Amino acid sequence: MRVRGVAHAFAGRPVLAGVDLDVAAGERVAVVGPNGAGKSTLLRIMATLLTPREGTVAVGGTPYPEGVRAARRRIGYLGHDPLVYLDLTAWQNLRLFGDLYGVDGLDDAVPDALARVGLLPRAHDHVRTFSRGMAQRLGIARMLLHSPDVLLLDEPYTGLDAQGSRLLDGIVTGASSGTAVVMVTHDLARAHALCGRVVMIARGLLAWDAGTADVSHDQLAQRYAESAG
Amino acid sequence: MTTFSMTDTPRAGRAIAALGALSAVLLAVATFGVFLVAPEDAASGVIQRIFYFHVSVALVSMLAFMVACIAGIVHLRRGGDGSDDVSLASIAIGLMLAVLTVITGSIWAKAAWGFWWRWDDLRLVSFLLIILLYAAYFVLRGSADESRQARFGAVYAIFAFAAVPLSFYAVRTARSFIHPVVVTSKGADMPGTMLVWFLISVVAFTALFVTLLLVEVQQRRAARALEDVKRRLEARSATPTGGH
Amino acid sequence: MSRVRQLRALVRKDVLLEAHTKETIVAMALFALVSMVIFQFAVGQRAGDSSLIAGGIIWATVSLAAVLGVGRTWVPEREQRVLDGLLTAPVARLTMFMARAIVLTLFLLAVEVVIVPLGIVFFTRQIAPSDLALMAGVCVLANLCIAVAGTLLASMSVFSRARELVIPVLLLPALVPVVIAASGATQAVLGPGTQLAEYLGYCRFLAVYAAVFSLVAYATYDHVLDD
């Protein structure tokens, strides 16, 4: 995944001022930064939810805005909300998104996905009856259903129960070697533990980019504090 | 983003002043001709003279809505603030002219038939629909986020202009489809001198439209430039060190 | 092929949501019914022969109910916070638009199944079975018109403040031609003696209306949903 010169503004106020970021297949990158630094905006642009004022994003060979539909097929996005319908059952939700993504063999894929997040016993219950954590787990199943090449996670741990957090940890670290993960998070410790790289966004710019292998968590926290000012 | 260049302001200002003067002269000539030179209509007398303005204003408002639609198409294709300014200003002016059409038409109806309103006066009824259609444009813009106003405005300018002929036609067939009300005959058979004064008033109102359009567009550009300067000043005072 | 599959999935999704909550159609039908009663007391009472205004009352009623239906478009996505999920899916915006329009057509049809027969019973003396078939034709055509115009306008007000105020103001002026033509066609059927030529003329007008706005929607829809 390749981000080039992405800049964006809301109502004339610049939020991102030209960000470049490369994420290789299989790489796990955490995006950190103070509130309002533009990290969520960056992720929404990468997830095709926002068209940047300037710059391009590409997944594999397809840069967008132009090749947006091919790119969408390869991206799995999870935000603060699980992005599933509360008034549909878990099964109906996955069936719907499976159809939208053109997933083959849904009759097997849906129960497999539900089993993976521990929701198979509740498959035919409406999501409105689920706890927040269960809904978020269904969101994880929805995100993984079409086997995306890139997972884009925006504060995915908010609202997740202990079981879900463990599950997501496993998915992030155990993602198959071809799957890249980009995760926006506040949680520096988790970023350090799970991701191979930490990228700091401050005032709309990429402040620094560090591998976690040769930096301790404390060093990371110190650098964070320095650039957050 | 369009940058506001200081150099073209005086030139734009001069063009607007010239056009404004031209419209004023044309309107004066048209008023003079319509009231003092054009022959009096034998059947309806002096009140018939309002008809020159009534129909000219109606035609120019349609022209304004067409300009708004074209500017909307340009905006969707190429983006940019300029086409949105043109679209917005055209609809504002067109709406004003449509209201004028209904007012003059109503005066005409009062004088000719003794009532302020007739549902079988097609121009009156159609323009009432047009006013409702285009007034909604401002409701839509007012309720949309700032980042979407221009885009939605453009889509609606196209949508509404597509609705115009359908509304005109539907109004004609409101009583019967097979025997629609024919185009009203008033003015259909104009003697040559009447036609000349009629055309002059159409040109006069067109010039007025173009003048108002330029003023409005220029005004919006200036407002945006001011906003830009303010924002840059704010940004500078936020980082007093001056470095990036 | 995948487009058809996506379209079917989106339509099924809205039907399932409606089947579970039963919010929209019930509200639309009740609203239409009460509007019909209001029209009767406001104007029908003093019109000597109410069969002369039956078509008008039916379609004024349906157009008001349509405001509710159009207003509900995209509401589950907003209330249940799924919009981002749909927008990140690889679905052409046109497919989403068509799914919305189809669902709205179906909802309106469901309302008309209740309202039109009731209107006929309330306001006319008798009706031939063949006239019912003609009425079904008007309903389908008028629903297409309402659905196409309504879906386009609704998609612009998803993101707006005070959408419940914006939608009637946007939708109803555009629907006036539809009300004129649909009432005309209905009157041609329900009025004294079926006037086939009138009926067909109005139906043709409805078809042209639907075609024109389909073109407008086709040309502009991408700009409505994408940022």
Side-chain angles (χ1 to χ4, degrees):
Chain A
M1 186 154 200
R2 177 184 286 262
V3 177
R4 279 289 168 273
V6 161
H8 197 67
F10 287 121
R13 283 172 205 284
V15 183
L16 291 175
V19 173
D20 294 335
L21 180 65
D22 281 311
V23 182
E27 204 174 9
R28 298 192 297 276
V29 180
V31 178
V32 299
N35 281 333
K39 50 193 195 316
S40 273
T41 306
L42 176 64
L43 201 76
R44 287 178 68 82
I45 287 172
M46 290 166 83
T48 77
L49 283 168
L50 270 178
T51 306
R53 290 280 163 86
E54 286 165 47
T56 57
V57 183
V59 179
T62 47
Y64 45 91
E66 286 77 28
V68 71
R69 214 130 50 88
R72 280 182 179 139
R73 233 172 255 288
R74 308 177 63 170
I75 293 172
Y77 173 78
L78 185 66
H80 315 245
D81 298 311
L83 305 180
V84 292
Y85 287 91
L86 304 183
D87 287 324
L88 292 181
T89 65
W91 188 289
Q92 287 166 343
N93 266 300
L94 291 190
R95 180 89 229 214
L96 165 68
F97 284 98
D99 281 333
L100 296 185
Y101 280 92
V103 178
D104 292 323
L106 276 184
D107 289 336
D108 297 326
V110 169
D112 285 354
L114 284 172
R116 188 166 175 194
V117 297
L119 286 174
L120 197 52
R122 301 289 302 269
H124 295 289
D125 292 341
H126 286 90
V127 178
R128 207 176 271 287
T129 66
F130 285 14
S131 68
R132 176 89 173 80
M134 287 162 75
Q136 192 73 359
R137 258 147 60 202
L138 182 62
I140 295 173
R142 174 194 57 76
M143 166 182 80
L144 295 174
L145 190 62
H146 60 287
S147 333
D149 298 334
V150 184
L151 300 182
L152 299 177
L153 312 170
D154 191 358
E155 303 283 2
Y157 289 93
T158 41
L160 212 52
D161 48 17
Q163 187 189 352
S165 297
R166 270 197 310 278
L167 182 79
L168 191 57
D169 285 351
I171 285 165
V172 171
T173 51
S176 66
S177 58
T179 310
V181 180
V182 179
M183 177 166 81
V184 165
T185 182
H186 274 115
D187 187 344
L188 217 52
R190 188 165 247 137
H192 186 261
L194 296 181
C195 299
R197 244 170 97 195
V198 177
V199 169
M200 170 88 182
I201 303 271
R203 291 183 207 92
L205 288 168
L206 207 149
W208 45 263
D209 182 343
T212 49
D214 35 63
V215 183
S216 78
H217 172 243
D218 293 339
Q219 286 169 310
L220 209 58
Q222 200 183 342
R223 288 188 74 176
Y224 181 94
E226 278 166 19
S227 22
Chain B
M1 195 177 258
T2 34
T3 46
F4 185 74
S5 85
M6 282 314 199
T7 50
D8 68 9
T9 322
R11 212 183 333 139
R14 271 202 301 279
I16 290 174
L19 249 167
L22 178 69
S23 336
V25 170
L26 277 168
L27 278 174
V29 169
T31 312
F32 172 79
V34 163
F35 282 103
L36 299 178
V37 183
E40 183 123 328
D41 186 76
S44 34
V46 67
I47 190 62
Q48 184 267 347
R49 293 177 191 274
I50 200 175
F51 169 77
Y52 292 94
F53 296 118
H54 174 58
V55 178
S56 316
V57 168
L59 281 177
V60 177
S61 88
M62 283 299 119
L63 175 72
F65 293 138
M66 190 175 76
V67 170
C69 174
I70 294 169
I73 294 170
V74 171
H75 181 79
L76 292 186
R77 293 217 149 179
R78 304 221 191 97
D81 293 323
S83 48
D84 179 48
D85 291 346
V86 172
S87 195
L88 172 64
S90 296
I91 288 185
I93 301 165
L95 188 59
M96 199 183 72
L97 295 174
V99 170
L100 266 180
T101 305
V102 169
I103 291 174
T104 50
S106 183
I107 293 173
W108 160 275
K110 176 70 180 166
W113 295 291
F115 332 103
W116 291 108
W117 192 264
R118 288 175 59 115
W119 285 103
D120 54 358
D121 183 332
L122 296 177
R123 202 174 298 117
L124 222 47
V125 176
S126 307
F127 270 83
L128 179 62
L129 276 185
I130 302 293
I131 289 171
L132 289 173
L133 201 58
Y134 278 97
Y137 172 85
F138 295 95
V139 177
L140 175 66
R141 269 191 97 107
S143 72
D145 300 345
E146 208 174 325
S147 61
R148 296 190 173 93
Q149 282 176 359
R151 226 161 1 110
F152 287 6
V155 171
Y156 193 80
I158 299 167
F159 177 91
F161 196 62
V164 166
L166 291 165
S167 303
F168 270 95
Y169 195 75
V171 165
R172 282 179 202 293
T173 63
R175 189 149 295 166
S176 163
F177 193 87
I178 301 305
H179 307 287
V181 187
V182 285
V183 181
T184 38
S185 60
K186 51 177 180 182
D189 45 345
M190 252 191 246
T193 44
M194 281 188 172
L195 191 64
V196 169
W197 291 113
F198 172 65
L199 289 178
I200 288 177
S201 45
V202 171
V203 173
F205 278 106
T206 309
L208 179 67
F209 160 60
V210 176
T211 311
L212 289 175
L213 180 63
L214 290 179
V215 170
E216 190 64 32
V217 167
Q218 196 67 12
Q219 141 80 20
R220 281 178 58 83
R221 281 179 70 186
R224 218 173 12 246
L226 182 64
E227 199 57 35
D228 215 41
V229 170
K230 261 195 214 156
R231 203 172 290 134
R232 253 182 275 160
L233 277 176
E234 255 171 48
R236 195 174 301 166
S237 57
T239 48
T241 44
H244 8 282
Chain C
M1 225 27 237
S2 76
R3 276 190 181 214
V4 179
R5 183 176 171 194
Q6 290 174 333
L7 190 65
R8 213 170 40 208
L10 287 171
V11 172
R12 189 175 51 211
K13 176 259 298 173
D14 276 329
V15 173
L16 283 172
L17 283 173
E18 180 61 26
H20 180 61
T21 61
K22 298 178 192 67
E23 280 167 351
T24 312
I25 292 178
V26 173
M28 280 169 81
L30 284 176
F31 181 67
L33 188 57
V34 79
S35 313
M36 211 147 78
V37 173
I38 285 178
F39 278 122
Q40 163 59 21
F41 285 109
V43 294
Q45 210 76 309
R46 287 181 185 77
D49 181 0
S50 58
S51 72
L52 292 176
I53 54 169
I57 290 185
I58 289 174
W59 287 101
T61 297
V62 171
S63 67
L64 292 178
V67 172
L68 293 191
V70 170
R72 290 300 291 180
T73 313
W74 290 109
V75 167
E77 279 74 18
R78 270 188 13 148
E79 282 180 353
Q80 301 172 37
R81 307 175 72 87
V82 204
L83 209 47
D84 286 351
L86 273 196
L87 293 181
T88 47
V91 184
R93 298 312 183 224
L94 191 65
T95 309
M96 286 191 193
F97 177 83
M98 284 165 61
R100 294 280 159 200
I102 290 171
V103 169
L104 197 50
T105 308
L106 291 177
F107 284 13
L108 285 167
L109 212 55
V111 171
E112 284 155 359
V113 164
V114 179
I115 284 307
V116 172
L118 272 180
I120 291 171
V121 169
F122 286 167
F123 301 112
T124 61
R125 293 272 171 271
Q126 63 210 22
I127 182 158
S130 65
D131 288 351
L132 282 179
L134 291 179
M135 277 306 298
V138 187
C139 289
V140 169
L141 280 173
N143 289 353
L144 278 178
C145 296
I146 298 173
V148 171
T151 307
L152 186 61
L153 294 176
S155 306
M156 285 197 277
S157 44
V158 197
F159 305 104
S160 67
R161 299 179 287 272
R163 49 178 278 137
E164 65 281 6
L165 303 181
V166 175
I167 283 185
V169 174
L170 284 180
L171 180 65
L172 288 174
L175 285 193
V176 172
V178 178
V179 172
I180 290 176
S183 324
T186 305
Q187 217 49 56
V189 176
L190 299 184
T194 304
Q195 292 161 310
L196 209 57
E198 286 273 321
Y199 172 83
L200 289 175
Y202 283 120
C203 285
R204 209 164 50 228
F205 178 85
L206 289 173
V208 169
Y209 183 104
V212 167
F213 282 105
S214 300
L215 273 178
V216 172
Y218 178 75
T220 59
Y221 199 65
D222 260 350
H223 301 280
V224 173
L225 270 188
D226 274 322
D227 273 306

